[in-house]
Amino acid sequence: MKDTLRQQLERLQMRLNELDANLADPQVASDMNRYRTLSREHAEVAEVVDLFQRFEQREHDLAAAQDLLDDPEMADMAKEEIATAQNELVKLQQSLQTALLPRDPDDERAAFLEIRAGTGGDESALFAADLARMYLRFSERQGWRSEVLSENVSDLGGYKEIVLRIEGANVYGELKFESGGHRVQRIPATETQGRIHTSACTVAVLPEPDAEEEVQLNPADLRIDTFRASGAGGQHINKTDSAIRITHLPTGLVAECQDDRSQHRNKAKAMSVLAARLREKERSARAAAEAATRKSLIGTGDRSDRIRTYNFPQGRLTDHRINLTLYKLQFILDGDLTDVVEALQGAQAAEQLAQLESGEASL
């Protein structure tokens, strides 16, 4: 094991002792938010320290077995123990390296998923509807809960814009790599000469902040408009101006919600979306300043600006960031995104591991 990894693990051992002392402090126990935060950190650190202790024990066992090689009566048994210990040490070191990878504290959060039509007119809007269906079906497969917060329907039944809220286990952690430009290549339903067209949409995935962590919004900076929600008609058509649109005047960011008949609940949801967008704007600004915008850029909607291509004639999906190509496009559009998500997570883990091994990553 490299010295840099061992030093990090030794620091974690000391941190575990600090956490034990903090959690035993009555003042900490009386502050539930702090106690919850420290308890979560304790569980994570204890898991890594336990692995490290097992690693050190096997190192001790290996050294003891090597000392027995000079004893003719014990040499065969020592060789077996050495082989076993060496194999276990390799596995334990791999587990430790994985456990030490930096964790995004937002991964466990619910997320707002925004899809906007870009280049391509009506075909782009229809593709936006295909993407929304893909994410909703993936959410069902994961056992997540989803709701449509707002939608702007196109003439042919697609979406000029749709905003979803998705809640469940590790939602943001699995969907965050979907942010960016998505390009489709196919023959549109309106095409009479059978020509393949290229259209594009942008997707943005924003972690939902905790209530106490939301950006504090100054009422003087907000313009709140009410309007009548659009709908398909029938007995559930909105008869009152319960839909809400909130504009943050300093930045021009806009959020709206129209899914509930209650104006109060729509306002609360729209405020949450706006806070998430402002929070993401701040995150993106920091990332740009640090030259680390790979995950936060969501693109412009141009055909050339894309992270992924959906090629219908070939039944192919290509993620250009990791050179992943899968010939199962229809399954993916039906919500089978697992291979794509796992490949993107694996690529990030490999990148983090390379940084960790070079000593550049920090705990």
Side-chain angles (χ1 to χ4, degrees):
M1 177 182 289
K2 290 186 177 181
D3 289 341
T4 52
L5 292 184
R6 192 178 295 274
Q7 289 166 6
Q8 290 178 2
L9 291 165
E10 289 171 350
R11 286 199 297 270
L12 277 183
Q13 285 182 313
M14 291 187 287
R15 177 58 180 162
L16 185 62
N17 293 333
E18 293 175 1
L19 290 168
D20 285 333
N22 286 333
L23 290 172
D25 186 339
Q27 289 187 334
V28 172
S30 64
D31 184 343
M32 285 309 299
N33 286 333
R34 188 180 178 202
Y35 185 83
R36 212 166 16 241
T37 299
L38 291 176
S39 295
R40 189 160 48 240
E41 183 185 356
H42 185 278
E44 294 174 357
V45 173
E47 180 183 350
V48 180
V49 169
D50 179 64
L51 279 172
F52 184 45
Q53 289 174 342
R54 286 159 56 190
F55 182 88
E56 289 185 312
Q57 180 59 50
R58 293 310 277 151
E59 279 188 320
H60 176 77
D61 295 341
L62 176 61
Q66 288 171 332
D67 289 340
L68 295 175
L69 286 175
D70 294 333
D71 186 337
E73 296 182 1
M74 305 293 292
D76 289 341
M77 184 182 72
K79 289 177 182 177
E80 290 183 12
E81 174 62 15
I82 288 171
T84 300
Q86 287 175 334
N87 287 335
E88 288 187 19
L89 283 169
V90 169
K91 293 178 181 177
L92 283 168
Q93 179 163 326
Q94 290 174 341
S95 298
L96 279 167
Q97 288 174 327
T98 300
L100 280 173
L101 295 180
R103 298 184 183 184
D104 188 336
D106 288 333
D107 279 354
E108 292 295 326
R109 296 183 186 275
F112 298 114
L113 192 150
E114 307 174 352
I115 306 170
R116 293 180 177 82
T119 305
D122 287 333
E123 170 61 12
S124 176
L126 291 172
F127 179 47
D130 291 335
L131 291 177
R133 175 177 171 272
M134 177 181 75
Y135 292 124
L136 288 171
R137 291 206 167 186
F138 180 62
S139 297
E140 290 176 8
R141 288 170 179 255
Q142 301 299 99
W144 298 338
R145 295 173 296 280
S146 58
E147 60 179 323
V148 177
L149 293 185
S150 66
E151 58 186 17
N152 185 353
V153 181
S154 70
D155 294 338
L156 295 182
Y159 292 115
K160 297 177 183 177
E161 175 182 301
I162 181 169
V163 180
L164 309 174
R165 179 184 180 273
I166 304 174
E167 179 183 6
N170 203 42
V171 169
Y172 182 70
E174 296 202 27
L175 291 179
K176 62 185 177 182
F177 297 113
E178 295 303 300
S179 291
H182 294 240
R183 182 176 67 174
V184 62
Q185 295 173 328
R186 65 183 175 187
I187 302 172
T190 56
E191 170 59 51
T192 58
Q193 300 181 26
R195 293 174 299 185
I196 296 174
H197 289 223
T198 299
S199 303
C201 292
T202 59
V203 174
V205 182
L206 315 175
E208 181 180 52
D210 292 333
E212 63 271 16
E213 295 179 5
E214 283 189 1
V215 176
Q216 296 302 309
L217 299 174
N218 184 347
D221 291 337
L222 305 178
R223 186 180 73 234
I224 301 177
D225 301 308
T226 60
F227 60 99
R228 188 162 298 179
S230 59
Q235 61 178 341
H236 298 301
I237 190 69
N238 198 329
K239 300 294 186 182
T240 61
D241 293 342
S242 64
I244 294 289
R245 180 183 297 110
I246 304 176
T247 303
H248 186 246
L249 299 175
T251 62
L253 290 175
V254 178
E256 64 180 51
C257 185
Q258 55 179 294
D259 75 307
D260 203 297
R261 298 187 196 183
S262 164
Q263 187 180 103
H264 178 74
R265 286 192 291 270
N266 280 336
K267 181 179 178 182
K269 291 178 181 179
M271 289 286 279
S272 185
V273 172
L274 182 60
R277 289 178 179 169
L278 286 167
R279 185 171 180 262
E280 182 64 17
K281 184 178 178 68
E282 292 176 359
R283 281 163 48 106
S284 296
R286 288 196 302 270
E290 297 166 2
T293 57
R294 178 175 59 85
K295 288 187 294 182
S296 57
L297 292 174
I298 65 171
T300 63
D302 291 337
R303 292 185 181 91
S304 61
D305 179 23
R306 84 284 186 198
I307 60 168
R308 189 177 297 157
T309 296
Y310 303 72
N311 185 297
F312 277 73
Q314 298 179 16
R316 167 176 58 84
L317 177 141
T318 300
D319 195 291
H320 305 286
R321 296 165 294 181
I322 58 175
N323 296 320
L324 172 72
T325 297
L326 298 172
Y327 288 91
K328 47 181 288 187
L329 180 58
Q330 194 55 54
F331 290 101
I332 291 169
L333 289 171
D334 285 336
D336 186 6
L337 268 172
T338 301
D339 287 346
V340 181
V341 169
E342 289 182 350
L344 289 162
Q345 290 176 328
Q348 184 196 40
E351 182 180 317
Q352 291 176 327
L353 186 56
Q355 293 176 342
L356 184 67
E357 289 177 337
S358 66
E360 294 175 3
S362 59
L363 290 175

